[in-house]
Amino acid sequence: MTHTPPETDPLEAHFRALREDVPTPDDALMARILADADAVQADRDAMTAPALPQAAKPDTLITQIIKTIGGWPGLAGLATAGIAGVWIGVSAPATLMQTSELLLLGAGDDAIVDMDPGYAFVGLEGGL
C-alpha cells in the first residue's frame, strides 16, 4: 500500500473542511437536554433513597441456636431426622430388627463355615 501525502489526497480537503465546521447546538436544545437530565436524576434519586436504618435488636438464645444449626433449613433437616428416628425406633419393620440383631449380636454358630483342603464347604453342625 502506498502512502499518499495529506496535501495531495483528494479527500483530505473535504475532511479538513468538515473538521473546521463543527456544528454547535443552540441554547434551546441544550436547555431541553439539561431539563430532561435533571428529571431523570431526580427520579433515580427518589428510587434509590436509602431507608432509615432499623435499630438492631440483640439476638436471643433461640436465635443464636438457630443460626448455629444453619438457619431455618438446618433446623428443618434436624427436625425431620429426629422425627424419622423416633418413628423407626417405635415401629421398626421386621427386616430392620433382624438386620440390627445380626449386626449387633453377631452371627450364630450355624452361619460359620470352614473350607477343607478339597475346597468343600463343611458346616459345623453336620461334620464331615
Side-chain angles (χ1 to χ4, degrees), residues 16-120:
R16 192 177 321 114
L18 289 173
R19 282 192 295 265
E20 291 171 0
D21 184 27
V22 177
T24 57
D26 61 344
D27 292 336
L29 176 63
M30 290 304 293
R32 287 194 310 264
I33 291 173
L34 291 175
D36 186 39
D38 288 339
V40 170
Q41 187 173 9
D43 288 344
R44 186 171 293 170
D45 289 343
M47 286 190 300
T48 60
L52 295 175
Q54 299 284 334
K57 295 186 289 185
D59 290 339
T60 62
L61 180 64
I62 300 294
T63 307
Q64 290 175 356
I65 291 172
I66 291 173
K67 283 182 181 178
T68 304
I69 290 172
W72 289 109
L75 187 65
L78 185 64
T80 303
I83 291 172
V86 169
W87 182 12
I88 291 172
V90 169
S91 61
T95 56
L96 182 62
M97 294 298 290
Q98 292 171 354
T99 306
S100 61
E101 286 176 2
L102 180 66
L103 290 175
L104 294 176
L105 302 177
D109 289 340
D110 55 343
I112 298 175
V113 293
D114 291 328
M115 294 179 64
D116 66 355
Y119 296 104

